[in-house]
Amino acid sequence: MRLVRAAGAIVVRDRDGAIDVALVHRPAYDDWSFPKGKLEGDEDERAAAIREVGEEIGLRCSLDEDLGVVTYVDGRGRPKVVRYWRMRASADAVLAPAHEIDVAEWVPVDEASARLTYRHDRELLARVIGQALPTTVTPTYLIRHAKAGSRSAWPEPDELRPISRSGRRQAKRLIERFTGMPVRRLFSSPFHRCIQTLEPLAEARGLEIELAAELAEGAPPAAAEALILAAAADGPAAFSTHGDVQAGVVQDLLDRGVRLDGELVAFRKGGTWILDVLGGKIAAARYLSPPSGEAGRRELSRGARGASGPSA
């Protein structure tokens, strides 16, 4: 699964109580949408959104509210996830179309939906202006891989290190642990121990395991979260990953003020964080201890994530 990540903004201006939104026309696709574009290099989503607005409509605006994501399949058949922010421009702001844009217009917000080409853009606008409120929660499951053998004692590449005997027991017990929990798709880090963690559940549910680099050890938490949100558009999904990725995602949620169940943030091997997706965002998270009940936990506080993270 090759995920395309992008960022953009709904740029608004207030003219004495009349709200306008900036829409752009791309001649290559003959469509009307919001300014957006793919992330470049190691760029994060916030930086990409600011850059794209500057390049496409000539405005430098600060980020306001995080509006969540929209997901769809692009013209080349790749899953694409776009995170949007609200940006506010001054009442006299002038749009200067450039880059891939030939026309940029301020459109009254109550007329913008009719101008937008794509349904996902119309749905996003409706969420923003309060015409439609998301009510359906989609559960997703971020699992730290089961117990594995010693990293230092393993003579081969670490990507090939398998789960241990107790780890195999943990993996099998996930079948029972997930009883009654809906799971439509399974994703795993390409590392062998993460794949093995999902294999019993995959066999029991008759599902294939899809490999995703966004879940590999050392992957940025934002990439893993983007994958989770993209997959959630298709329904509940489970993700097998490493301790550093799991902790990174949860720390980012904590930093953004997302409600987490309990004060202690735990990351035991085989443990699961249930992430509730609502309206293109992770709205809440709660921890589910591993089937074996093994000890091991780690404290997190806002802005205080350790550099190394939990051992993977």
Side-chain angles (χ1 to χ4, degrees):
M1 177 180 181
R2 184 181 176 187
L3 182 69
V4 179
R5 296 174 60 203
I10 294 183
V11 184
V12 298
R13 70 175 183 179
D14 185 340
R15 296 179 297 110
D16 297 325
I19 306 299
D20 296 331
V21 60
L23 301 186
V24 299
H25 180 264
R26 300 183 299 173
Y29 302 95
D30 190 23
D31 61 6
W32 285 92
S33 61
F34 304 115
K36 66 179 183 298
K38 294 190 289 291
L39 275 60
E40 296 182 351
D42 295 331
E43 187 178 47
D44 65 23
E45 292 160 322
R46 293 172 176 80
I50 293 171
R51 175 183 54 76
E52 287 291 338
V53 168
E55 290 179 352
E56 294 194 347
I57 61 175
L59 296 183
R60 291 290 295 179
C61 304
S62 59
L63 300 178
D64 196 348
E65 179 187 358
D66 180 351
L67 302 175
V69 305
V70 296
T71 60
Y72 54 94
V73 176
D74 70 10
R76 297 170 61 181
R78 302 171 300 181
K80 186 171 183 177
V81 55
V82 187
R83 183 178 289 278
Y84 284 95
W85 278 265
R86 189 199 313 269
M87 294 186 184
R88 298 184 186 276
S90 62
D92 58 353
V94 177
L95 303 179
H99 199 45
E100 300 172 347
I101 306 304
D102 63 344
V103 181
E105 292 184 10
W106 288 114
V107 179
V109 69
D110 56 354
E111 299 176 14
S113 183
R115 182 79 69 88
L116 289 165
T117 301
Y118 303 110
R119 177 180 175 181
H120 53 256
D121 285 340
R122 294 192 294 270
E123 291 175 346
L124 175 63
L125 180 64
R127 292 208 311 254
V128 172
I129 64 178
Q131 291 179 349
L133 297 177
T135 58
T136 302
V137 172
T138 300
T140 61
Y141 312 99
L142 188 61
I143 306 166
R144 185 180 179 186
H145 67 72
K147 296 179 69 176
S150 168
R151 186 190 296 264
S152 61
W154 178 250
E156 298 182 43
D158 189 58
E159 293 85 344
L160 302 178
R161 182 159 52 99
I163 57 178
S164 63
R165 181 177 298 177
S166 60
R168 290 194 294 272
R169 290 196 294 268
Q170 280 186 319
K172 290 180 180 178
R173 289 171 183 163
L174 284 178
I175 299 174
E176 181 180 354
R177 173 55 56 86
F178 274 77
T179 298
M181 294 184 180
V183 179
R184 183 171 293 179
R185 298 173 71 181
L186 298 175
F187 295 87
S188 174
S189 156
F191 286 48
H192 188 45
R193 54 189 179 274
C194 293
I195 299 171
Q196 284 185 302
T197 298
L198 287 183
E199 284 178 339
L201 184 61
E203 182 177 359
R205 297 290 180 99
L207 297 172
E208 295 184 0
I209 299 174
E210 303 175 54
L211 302 186
E214 292 86 355
L215 299 172
E217 188 174 22
E225 183 181 353
L227 174 67
I228 291 167
L229 293 172
D234 292 330
F239 307 82
S240 180
T241 189
H242 305 261
D244 65 325
V245 177
Q246 189 188 59
V249 169
V250 174
Q251 177 69 69
D252 283 356
L253 297 177
L254 183 68
D255 290 344
R256 298 204 301 265
V258 173
R259 178 174 58 81
L260 308 181
D261 276 4
E263 296 182 0
L264 181 69
V265 181
F267 303 96
R268 304 180 182 94
K269 289 181 178 177
T272 300
W273 274 92
I274 303 176
L275 311 176
D276 290 335
V277 177
L278 176 66
K281 301 180 185 180
I282 297 175
R286 58 194 182 279
Y287 184 67
L288 189 64
S289 61
S292 61
E294 294 289 336
R297 54 181 58 184
R298 180 172 179 265
E299 298 267 4
L300 286 183
S301 61
R302 297 185 189 281
R305 187 190 319 146
S308 58
S311 171

